[in-house]
Amino acid sequence: MHKPARISITRVVFLLSLFATALAFGVVMLISGEVREKSVRDLARDEARQTSTLVFETLYAAMRKGWSKSEIADVILRLQTALPDLRIDVIRGPAVISQFGELAGDLEALRSDPLLKQVLETGQETLVPGTTGIRYLYPVKAKEECLVCHTMAKQGDINGIIDITYPIHSLKVSLDYVLNTVLAYFFGILVLLSAALYLKLKFFVALPITNMVGLMQEIIQHTDLSRRVKTSGIISEVADLSEYFNKLLYTVEDYQHRLEELSIRDPLTRLYNRRKFDEFLDHEADRAKRTGDSFCIAHIDLDDFKNINDTFGHPIGDLVLKEIASVLVREVRRTDVVARVGADEFSVLLPETDPEEGRQVADKLRQTITDLALGLPVGGVRVTASIGLASFPDNAENARKMSIAADVALYKAKRSGKNQVAVIGESDDTTAVIFSQGEMVRTALAEGRLVPFFQPIVAAADGTIAAYEVLARVVDGDSAVCAGDFIEAAEELGLAGEIDDAVFDRALEAMSAGILGNAKVFVNLSAKSITNRERMLSIPRRLAEAGIAPARVVLEITEREALPHFGDVVSMVNELRAQGLAFALDDFGSGFSSFLYLKYITVDYVKIEGSFVRQVVTDPRDRIMVEHIHSMAKSFGMITIAEFVEDQDTLELLREMGIDLCQGFHLGMPKAVDKLST
């Protein structure tokens, strides 16, 4: 499509200015010429009239004395001689010629000159501009006193014509008149130019920009990116602005489509993502309730997929995932929905499918994946999958519970040996509880409701707060769920590491804000975190980013977490202690290996098992255990902390024993960060 010729605003302004200047110059020249001509005509008429009157009076005076025609001609000649630039002719009228005779050429002049005839007939004076001069014809009318001599005429007749020709250069125009006239015209021209510039700028610049602004408002109001600005116009900048604005709209619209696609699709496999799958699941559950139909969902988890990534690398793992995705799409109906809901997890929604049909589909998918030989650059790779199947309404009555039921079934398939399809039954209530608690934790993590509570650790000697232990809580309105009610399920479902990160980050925020003063913070670590070397070694960096000294943080480990990976834990503890962090052995004395740890693991604190402390006042055996642990810890240069201090007598006894620090409900309940001052 041919684009119209365009010019820049700078050039438009220049051309408009040039046009205005030329127009003003032309108009001034035109006006000045017109003023000059008008001034000359007016002045010539006045001077000619005066001169004609003077000539007539001179001739009249001569005629009254009875001068002859020759004497009158001599008077006219003298007048012309006295005014050399002036030509004066006196032409007699017919009545005068008849009575006194003709002067030289009177009749010939009257016959040959139309102007003389016109003046003689009309009796009106006439001014005729010429290129070199102005001709003025003045009719001499007979007055009453003229009738004394001119007996053949009557009053008002034209007795003659005085013909005067003035040279233009002899006239002088009034300066005030010229200036006032030119200024008036020039002011009018400026007004016209201003109006022209206003209209030009309005139609060529302001109107296109106004249209664009109006379109922007409509786009914002209606969120309609399909609208476009018309790019017609001769101003290049305005046209370019419209064109680039349209291109911007195309780009934004394209990005919007891509973002919409990314919001519902997994970028690797192009399957639906979890969010979109949940929407389909909600819709199908509502439809099934209305129609009474059954439907199934299958959660698919690839067995030991981590080994493929670790062995061949993530690029190969991505190829496997894409191949599995294409297989799943190929093996189900077009009305079924396939989604990638996790790193190596897929879900399939089977509308209008009863439990038996769902089981057959799940078995077919599992067998297809098992039989699939993946031809990859590294060679043949085979994978297996565990599938959990749930059906509506047999296993659940809404979408959320359907998803939990499928997770429970998948968990059951994993625990039963993998590479199989499982459904839930009456014996799976415990597993269902685990997943219900896990769902609660997932939701709390997503909504920011998994928060740290802080329980004070005080000095036994004077009761001052020396530190706080950070405890995980799920907040639901005014109530808080203790970690003991969900931590087992969280560990079972692999959520413990996420809990540790969430609690640790929120605790760092409280420390950075100065809410905890200079007190140290004791942080419990799950087995998932302790065995994740990368996560553990990132702690000093996270502290540095938060501006917190490593010496203010104490990491708690227990025998249960440390024993399965004892060698790695010892190495990791030594490395982090070298960077300034401190460690505490939690629940010391609860296991058979507790005392052995003191030989191989260098820690800074020993937290005495609370079951020994709770009855230390009444049970001599507990008193012996506490005293023995305290004595041994002090010999190793460690600080002792007594847990479960629930009354004043216990506190007094522990103080007598020399215990360094104490914590328990008697000394302070765990509180949210915003309630620590109360």
Side-chain angles (χ1 to χ4, degrees):
M1 182 178 178
H2 179 68
K3 292 185 178 179
R6 299 171 181 171
I7 56 177
S8 67
I9 292 179
T10 305
R11 193 170 182 184
V12 167
V13 173
F14 172 75
L15 291 177
L16 287 176
S17 302
L18 187 62
F19 170 76
T21 303
L23 182 61
F25 179 78
V27 170
V28 170
M29 291 299 294
L30 180 63
I31 291 174
S32 64
E34 179 63 25
V35 169
R36 177 177 177 275
E37 293 295 328
K38 189 175 185 303
S39 301
V40 167
R41 288 195 300 269
D42 292 346
L43 187 58
R45 180 181 288 109
D46 292 341
E47 290 192 8
R49 185 181 292 115
Q50 293 175 7
T51 303
S52 299
T53 303
L54 179 62
V55 170
F56 172 74
E57 293 297 332
T58 302
L59 294 175
Y60 182 69
M63 287 185 291
R64 289 182 66 182
K65 292 179 179 180
W67 290 6
S68 64
K69 291 188 290 184
S70 60
E71 290 174 326
I72 293 174
D74 185 56
V75 171
I76 294 173
L77 180 61
R78 288 178 179 276
L79 287 173
Q80 291 177 338
T81 304
L83 300 171
D85 292 334
L86 213 64
R87 187 176 67 83
I88 303 173
D89 292 319
V90 178
I91 291 76
R92 291 184 172 191
V96 177
I97 293 173
S98 299
Q99 184 175 353
F100 296 103
E102 177 186 9
L103 287 175
D106 284 345
L107 291 175
E108 179 63 25
L110 287 174
R111 284 194 298 269
S112 62
D113 194 334
L115 289 177
L116 291 174
K117 288 182 180 181
Q118 177 183 340
V119 173
L120 192 63
E121 292 172 357
T122 62
Q124 301 291 327
E125 63 180 16
T126 300
L127 184 72
V128 181
T131 57
T132 59
I134 295 177
R135 184 182 180 190
Y136 178 72
L137 303 175
Y138 177 75
V140 179
K141 296 181 181 180
K143 300 180 181 179
E144 185 177 354
E145 57 182 329
C146 297
L147 300 180
V148 176
C149 295
H150 297 278
T151 58
M152 296 183 64
K154 58 181 181 292
Q155 188 175 349
D157 286 348
I158 307 301
N159 283 347
I161 301 172
I162 299 175
D163 187 357
I164 300 175
T165 302
Y166 274 84
I168 293 177
H169 64 80
S170 65
L171 298 175
K172 297 181 180 178
V173 181
S174 170
L175 180 60
D176 288 340
Y177 174 79
V178 173
L179 288 177
N180 292 336
T181 305
V182 170
L183 287 175
Y185 276 101
F186 192 71
F187 178 76
I189 293 301
L190 287 179
V191 172
L192 291 176
L193 288 176
S194 298
L197 285 173
Y198 168 77
L199 293 175
K200 293 281 187 182
L201 292 175
K202 177 180 179 180
F203 286 103
F204 293 151
V205 178
L207 190 59
I209 293 178
T210 301
N211 292 336
M212 186 181 301
V213 172
L215 181 64
M216 290 179 183
Q217 292 174 340
E218 292 182 9
I219 290 174
I220 293 173
Q221 183 177 1
H222 302 291
T223 318
D224 183 8
L225 295 176
S226 64
R227 302 290 300 277
R228 295 294 181 267
V229 178
K230 293 183 179 179
T231 57
S232 59
I234 64 171
I235 306 298
S236 61
E237 286 85 352
V238 175
D240 288 342
L241 181 62
S242 302
E243 183 178 350
Y244 287 120
F245 180 70
N246 286 338
K247 289 182 178 179
L248 177 63
L249 288 177
Y250 280 120
T251 302
V252 173
E253 188 176 24
D254 180 58
Y255 275 111
Q256 183 188 40
H257 291 157
R258 293 185 185 184
L259 288 174
E260 289 176 353
E261 185 73 8
L262 289 174
S263 69
I264 64 173
R265 296 280 183 180
D266 170 53
L268 176 64
T269 62
R270 307 308 301 162
L271 298 177
Y272 289 115
N273 57 21
R274 177 184 288 276
R275 186 179 70 84
K276 192 62 179 178
F277 181 82
D278 289 341
E279 289 183 11
F280 282 120
L281 181 58
D282 289 336
H283 175 75
E284 182 61 24
D286 292 339
R287 189 199 63 79
K289 288 179 182 178
R290 293 193 305 270
T291 61
D293 292 336
S294 297
F295 72 91
C296 297
I297 61 171
H299 285 185
I300 304 170
D301 184 85
L302 302 182
D303 298 327
D304 303 317
F305 185 75
K306 184 176 181 296
N307 294 336
I308 295 178
N309 283 332
D310 293 342
T311 304
F312 303 110
H314 288 279
I316 299 300
D318 290 345
L319 291 176
V320 172
L321 292 173
K322 292 171 70 174
E323 186 64 25
I324 295 296
S326 65
V327 167
L328 293 176
V329 172
R330 186 174 65 245
E331 294 296 326
V332 299
R333 301 168 299 184
R334 294 185 61 183
T335 55
D336 299 334
V337 178
V338 182
R340 184 188 179 199
V341 297
D344 56 354
E345 300 174 11
F346 300 87
S347 292
V348 180
L349 173 63
L350 305 170
E352 299 181 6
T353 304
D354 60 36
E356 183 59 31
E357 293 172 335
R359 181 61 183 258
Q360 294 175 3
V361 173
D363 283 332
K364 183 181 71 170
L365 293 177
R366 183 199 63 79
Q367 190 61 47
T368 301
I369 294 173
T370 302
D371 296 340
L372 182 65
L374 300 171
L376 301 174
V378 295
V381 176
R382 290 185 178 273
V383 294
T384 60
S386 299
I387 301 178
L389 184 70
S391 62
F392 176 92
D394 294 353
N395 299 132
E397 68 276 6
N398 59 48
R400 179 177 176 275
K401 291 183 178 180
M402 278 285 290
S403 184
I404 293 175
D407 278 337
V408 171
L410 177 60
Y411 180 70
K412 180 179 179 181
K414 288 285 190 181
R415 297 189 67 176
S416 300
K418 304 179 182 179
N419 191 23
Q420 57 184 282
V421 177
V423 296
I424 61 174
E426 295 180 358
S427 61
D428 298 314
D429 289 344
T430 302
T431 306
V433 170
I434 290 176
F435 274 86
S436 178
Q437 292 176 348
E439 186 67 19
M440 176 192 69
V441 173
R442 285 193 183 97
T443 304
L445 284 169
E447 297 175 355
R449 293 187 294 104
L450 204 152
V451 300
F453 273 42
F454 298 87
Q455 184 176 25
I457 299 175
V458 304
D462 55 14
T464 58
I465 296 178
Y468 290 94
E469 181 175 1
V470 182
L471 304 170
R473 296 287 188 270
V474 171
V475 176
D476 187 6
D478 295 331
S479 62
V481 181
C482 296
D485 294 336
F486 61 78
I487 194 64
E488 182 179 352
E491 290 178 346
E492 190 74 36
L493 298 175
L495 299 174
E498 295 181 47
I499 294 175
D500 287 348
D501 285 339
V503 171
F504 189 69
D505 288 341
R506 298 287 287 272
L508 293 185
E509 292 176 6
M511 296 175 73
S512 298
I515 298 174
L516 307 181
N518 294 322
K520 295 186 177 183
V521 171
F522 283 66
V523 181
N524 290 285
L525 295 176
S526 65
K528 185 76 172 178
S529 293
I530 290 176
T531 56
N532 189 329
R533 180 176 178 82
E534 181 179 352
R535 177 179 291 168
M536 293 295 293
L537 295 181
S538 70
I539 292 177
R541 174 184 55 77
R542 295 162 70 182
L543 293 175
E545 291 174 353
I548 298 171
R552 289 191 60 192
V553 177
V554 182
L555 304 177
E556 297 188 21
I557 58 177
T558 63
E559 176 182 346
R560 181 168 63 94
E561 283 86 20
L563 186 60
H565 310 278
F566 191 75
D568 293 336
V569 169
V570 171
S571 174
M572 182 266 300
V573 168
N574 291 335
E575 190 169 347
L576 290 178
R577 287 188 78 251
Q579 298 186 56
L581 283 101
F583 280 83
L585 277 176
D586 194 15
D587 299 334
F588 188 83
S590 60
F592 294 108
S593 305
S594 296
F595 293 96
L596 183 64
Y597 288 139
L598 296 182
K599 178 178 179 181
Y600 295 104
I601 300 180
T602 303
V603 296
D604 305 277
Y605 298 86
V606 171
K607 300 188 75 172
I608 303 172
E609 165 64 25
S611 61
F612 298 143
V613 177
R614 181 180 286 114
Q615 299 179 5
V616 69
V617 175
T618 58
D619 192 333
R621 291 172 296 180
D622 287 340
R623 190 180 310 166
I624 293 172
M625 291 294 296
V626 171
E627 288 177 341
H628 183 62
I629 294 172
H630 171 67
S631 175
M632 183 169 50
K634 298 303 288 183
S635 298
F636 283 99
M638 302 173 185
I639 299 172
T640 53
I641 303 174
E643 300 179 295
F644 287 70
V645 179
E646 299 178 353
D647 55 59
Q648 185 62 29
D649 292 339
T650 301
L651 177 61
E652 293 293 341
L653 181 58
L654 294 172
R655 183 180 295 131
E656 292 176 5
M657 291 181 182
I659 298 295
D660 299 299
L661 304 172
C662 299
Q663 72 177 110
F665 291 165
H666 175 66
L667 301 172
M669 299 290 291
K671 295 181 179 180
V673 66
D674 58 340
K675 297 182 179 180
L676 286 178
S677 59
T678 60

